[in-house]
Amino acid sequence: MPRRRAVLAVVAAATFLAAAALSLMEFDASRLGQAALARAGALTGGTLSARAFRLRPLSGLVLEGVEATASFTVGQAVASIESLVLDHRPLRLLRGEVAVDRIVLVRPHIRLAETAAPRRRVLPLLLTVAASARAAASDGATVVVRPTAPGASTPRAIVGRLVSTASGWTAEATPRAGAIVFRGVPSGPAELTVEGSRLALVLDPWESVEVDARVPAKGRPVLAIRRRTPAALRTSLDRDDLHGLPSSGDVVSLLETAEPVTVTDRIDGGGLWTADPARLTARGGSWTETTYLWDGFDVTDPWRGGRPLVLAQDEAVASAALLSAAVPASVPGSAAVLALEAAMPPGTWKGALHGDTALGSADTSTPPPRERLERGRTLGLGGGGPLSGRVAVQGALDWRDSARTEQGETPRLTSRLAMATLDSTWRPRDGDAVRAVAVGQWGRRPADRGLWRGGGGARDARTLAEARWEHRGEDGALWSARAGHVRARTDGLEPAASIERLEDGPIPEAVGDRPATRARSAAAVSFHPPPLGARVRHDLRIEATLARVRDRTMPRSPPRTASPPGRSAWMRACAPTPFMAATRARPPASPGGA
């Protein structure tokens, strides 16, 4: 026994001394540090460099003399950090992985500088804005790779490949006019590969990313992000944000929390306004001027401005971008724009089942709240993946049920929403892609306060169908044809039995619900020629679009009963109340009688 204890003591002491030695030892980690800087630059869109890289096995990776720069719409940020410590997990390091748990900045100095817009001639400015706006309105992100060689030599021939990590979207291209151009790239994480060198990207909708590829005579190219150019001042939410951040499944409810410049009303905050289109605006604009786009198509209600014909739900959307200022000229409307991008089938089979419910009794505090949730339940199922090497499908089902009370009133206001989505892609050959999307939504909600508040409530039926074909050339050219139809029908509303001066009038009459059928149809054919030059300043686009709007809406003032010709149109729209009937039936008083 004493000998065994002595052996254990020696082993423990040796382990302790080895751990102490490892904690004090430092190793040169230039390759690991450069990889960490490249990954951080791809995620942030900035440029990072460091003077030295040191690895401590137990504490972490230390970067000394870090310099970082990042450009945004109206300025530039420059940061100088004496040392940057990335604390990692030692056990993961033994398996060849670096998992960072904490980032420590030692003596950081950050400076923000506002830059003035460069002066340009009027004609190039108009051409650039018009071409970029038309491309961004329907084709998603654009990635431009510019190969360069050391000195004045010409870079050797290379091939670029871009893969969307989330959806499996893939495209290959070769240099044309000194640049490799990828158009219509889906938003979210992507990976760019050039001759064996890889660069991780996180793309936003309506964005242009420029990448420099330094091609040596021998060896792999060096990839680095040069510039990220957004199409407008916007807030982008990818699929991870829509599913990871806390929300009630409605895109507008998430924007109300994540974007401070927005002003919203009637959001589905846990079930208060289920199946009711939210009201959204930004930077002081009117919510009636908000525009909704679905894969480039205008799905705004043609009669009730600022409302979508199809609800923006997380299950059917891959990304959402709120354009709050500097909106492209090609986008209709004068206020905020909410651009939605339909979810694409994933590259591997995936599925998810979710559900939630409200537990416990409602708060009975006094005075009662303006609105109080009494019941809230949600159940959803979704999944998809590839059927073969060229065909992939994805589908989702979602059901929601909620009940609320207003101003302490006893009757509950019940809302229900059922939704089904189906998305399929087919790649008949390399460079060609055919996609079809179908969305159906059926809801029941309480009627708005107004002339049509009678009856049990509003019943909505919303459908959307979209199909598109794309052909991509290796020189960067893009041919596309697309067609879509969206329709919303509202019924179940009855005229009000009486008129309230505070609740009924010109404003509620203009924005209130009434039985109607609204639809939009559009078809477009476009051609995106190869870039005209290596700098890709003028990105031309030729497009022909045919659109049709149909609106079958009941009149604003529904006639209830016949009336004498002398009565006004407002009085003819109202049902005679008992007080009005008694007044008309009373005989006129005699001139001299009491």
Side-chain angles (χ1 to χ4, degrees), residues 99-122:
V100 179
D101 290 334
R102 186 180 60 168
I103 300 178
V104 181
L105 305 179
V106 179
R107 292 188 178 91
H109 178 71
I110 302 175
R111 180 170 56 89
L112 301 178
E114 183 178 359
T115 58
R119 288 189 174 183
R120 296 184 180 180
R121 291 178 298 175
V122 176

Side-chain angles (χ1 to χ4, degrees), residues 159-517:
V159 178
R161 179 183 176 89
L162 187 62
V163 178
S164 177
T165 308
S167 61
W169 179 94
T170 306
E172 291 186 358
T174 55
R176 170 80 180 206
I180 302 176
V181 180
F182 298 96
R183 295 189 176 100
V185 184
S187 61
E191 185 178 67
L192 175 64
T193 304
V194 178
E195 299 296 326
S197 298
R198 298 181 179 181
L199 178 63
L201 301 173
V202 179
L203 303 176
D204 292 336
W206 301 31
E207 182 185 31
S208 178
V209 180
E210 301 179 15
V211 179
D212 287 337
R214 301 176 185 176
V215 185
K218 296 182 179 180
R220 296 181 178 180
V222 179
L223 306 179
I225 297 178
R226 181 181 182 184
R227 185 184 298 110
R228 305 180 76 109
T229 305
L233 296 180
R234 75 204 188 288
T235 299
S236 300
L237 301 173
D238 57 15
R239 194 163 183 83
D240 293 337
D241 298 331
L242 296 174
H243 288 259
L245 297 177
S247 68
S248 59
D250 185 12
V251 175
V252 180
S253 65
L254 184 56
L255 287 172
E256 191 272 340
T257 305
E259 178 51 69
V261 302
T262 58
V263 178
T264 61
D265 186 20
R266 301 192 178 188
I267 62 174
D268 189 2
L272 287 177
W273 293 91
T274 301
D276 199 306
R279 299 177 180 180
L280 170 68
T281 184
R283 301 187 186 274
S286 173
W287 68 269
T288 59
E289 293 293 329
T290 301
T291 302
Y292 292 83
L293 300 180
W294 182 286
D295 283 344
F297 286 110
D298 187 0
V299 294
T300 311
D301 194 326
W303 175 70
R304 299 188 66 189
R307 296 289 188 94
L309 293 177
V310 59
L311 302 180
Q313 300 294 322
D314 296 351
E315 297 300 327
V317 177
S319 65
L322 176 66
L323 280 68
S324 57
V327 179
S330 62
V331 179
S334 59
V337 177
L338 182 58
L340 306 173
E341 185 176 334
M344 296 184 64
T348 58
W349 277 98
K350 298 180 180 179
L353 175 65
H354 66 90
D356 57 275
T357 182
L359 301 176
S361 59
D363 185 16
T364 57
S365 59
T366 303
R370 173 65 177 83
E371 296 159 351
R372 182 171 58 195
L373 181 65
E374 298 290 342
R375 183 182 70 246
R377 295 174 293 185
T378 302
L379 182 63
L381 172 65
L387 295 179
S388 63
R390 297 185 178 274
V391 180
V393 296
Q394 177 179 251
L397 298 174
D398 195 73
W399 174 80
R400 300 178 187 179
D401 174 60
S402 65
R404 72 177 190 270
T405 58
E406 294 184 356
Q407 298 179 347
E409 298 178 355
T410 303
R412 293 183 176 182
L413 304 178
T414 304
S415 302
R416 292 184 178 88
L417 176 63
M419 181 179 66
T421 62
L422 180 62
D423 189 354
S424 62
T425 57
W426 174 44
R427 297 179 176 88
R429 59 189 178 187
D430 295 340
D432 289 355
V434 180
R435 184 182 181 191
V437 180
V439 179
Q441 297 174 346
W442 301 269
R444 182 180 179 88
R445 53 189 172 86
D448 292 341
R449 296 180 180 271
L451 297 178
W452 292 89
R453 64 178 178 271
R459 295 189 300 268
D460 298 323
R462 308 173 187 272
T463 55
L464 180 144
E466 175 195 1
R468 70 172 57 218
W469 164 82
E470 292 182 350
H471 172 73
R472 304 174 184 275
E474 294 184 355
D475 56 356
L478 175 63
W479 289 88
S480 65
R482 61 187 188 274
H485 176 76
V486 59
R487 178 178 180 269
R489 178 184 178 184
T490 301
D491 56 11
L493 299 174
E494 296 293 338
S498 60
I499 298 299
E500 300 290 341
R501 293 185 178 182
L502 297 180
E503 297 180 353
D504 307 324
I507 295 179
E509 183 183 11
V511 301
D513 256 337
R514 61 178 56 91
T517 300

